[in-house]
Amino acid sequence: MDWASLGMAALWGLGAALALGTVTWAVSVAKRDVSIVDSLWGPLIWAAAAAGLAALPAAGPRAGWLLAAVALWAVRLSAHIMWRNRGEPEDRRYQAIRARNEPRFWLKSLYLVFGLQAVLACVVAAPVVVAGASGRPLQWLDTAGLLLLAFGLVFETVADAQLARFKGDPANRGQVMDRGLWRYSRHPNYFGECCIWWGVYLAACAAGGWWTVFSPLLMTFLLLKVSGVTLLEKDLEQRPAYRDYIARTSAFIPWIPRQ
């Protein structure tokens, strides 16, 4: 493995992510809405991966399908978040960050929000670049990775669609979504997301990049402890109906509901 080439690819990937983040930061200042960064998460990772692969002297047999898969994931996720947040004010999470960092939050958000996410995106994109750089022939781990990735993408897409349909029905206002995939997991969309990045990691392992395990571990940690399960349930668990839902439903990995 050519470490010098990988180092240059990492720099190009970071530069692309920071450039995209800076442009979006300027838009957020004009809109006074930092929460648009959520819809940037997928494109940031894809930009870091694409720029990193473009900087390599030559790409291996995994580069094309991995980059295409990440592009499909990024477009779907970004479109879903933009549709979900249309017409809404700045997310209350970012309102809280804004309140804690005044004055001049408009400037601080460049590195506190957009810069940080650009760096995290480069870390997550590392297995794509490492796998794409390898000339090793495709093997069964690549097939397993592709299948796990495809499963995760379908799973989270179905989960998001089910939740959107549930929330779109006025009759469900105030109720807990515990139907479809949400009957077996309180966060099936996050479980699907996790499967995607472990699938990418399997392809990296096939290419000799087993050491990029920090990427799926970081994504899993973010989904479980930072921006995902823990954050979302902080307020929801105060509701009696949601406490009942917690008592009978797996938090993450889909499982048969408890009685």
Side-chain angles (χ1 to χ4, degrees), residues 68-240:
V70 173
L72 179 62
W73 162 80
V75 169
R76 189 214 74 86
L77 181 64
S78 184
H80 169 71
I81 293 175
M82 286 192 293
W83 177 84
R84 184 189 66 191
N85 294 345
R86 68 195 189 285
E88 296 291 331
E90 184 177 57
D91 188 282
R92 60 186 179 84
R93 296 170 297 161
Y94 295 105
Q95 290 180 9
I97 295 174
R98 181 185 294 276
R100 290 196 302 268
N101 290 280
E102 293 290 8
R104 293 187 296 276
F105 175 72
W106 68 270
L107 180 59
K108 295 176 183 177
S109 63
L110 175 59
Y111 57 87
L112 287 176
V113 179
F114 293 89
L116 175 60
Q117 293 225 16
V119 173
L120 292 176
C122 290
V123 175
V124 173
V128 181
V129 178
V130 171
S134 174
R136 292 188 182 186
L138 299 175
Q139 54 171 287
W140 68 270
L141 266 178
D142 292 289
T143 303
L146 178 59
L147 290 175
L148 183 58
L149 189 158
F151 166 79
L153 184 60
V154 171
F155 202 85
E156 73 169 357
T157 301
V158 171
D160 283 337
Q162 289 177 341
L163 182 60
R165 187 164 55 248
F166 177 84
K167 287 185 172 181
D169 187 346
N172 296 324
R173 186 177 300 277
Q175 297 185 33
V176 174
M177 170 54 164
D178 58 357
R179 310 168 192 174
L181 297 179
W182 300 81
R183 168 177 159 81
Y184 305 98
S185 169
R186 301 201 301 272
H187 302 278
N189 50 345
Y190 292 154
F191 174 74
E193 182 83 355
C194 191
C195 288
I196 289 172
W197 292 101
W198 283 102
V200 171
Y201 174 66
L202 289 181
C205 287
W210 57 268
W211 50 272
T212 60
V213 67
F214 56 79
S215 168
L217 285 176
L218 172 63
M219 183 63 83
T220 304
F221 175 74
L222 292 174
L223 291 171
L224 288 175
K225 299 297 183 181
V226 182
S227 60
V229 174
T230 301
L231 181 63
L232 285 177
E233 294 196 339
K234 186 176 181 180
D235 295 330
L236 289 173
E237 64 185 3
Q238 304 303 318
R239 297 162 52 188

Side-chain angles (χ1 to χ4, degrees), residues 9 12 48-59 67 129:
W12 275 87
L53 289 172
L56 294 171
L67 196 59
V129 178

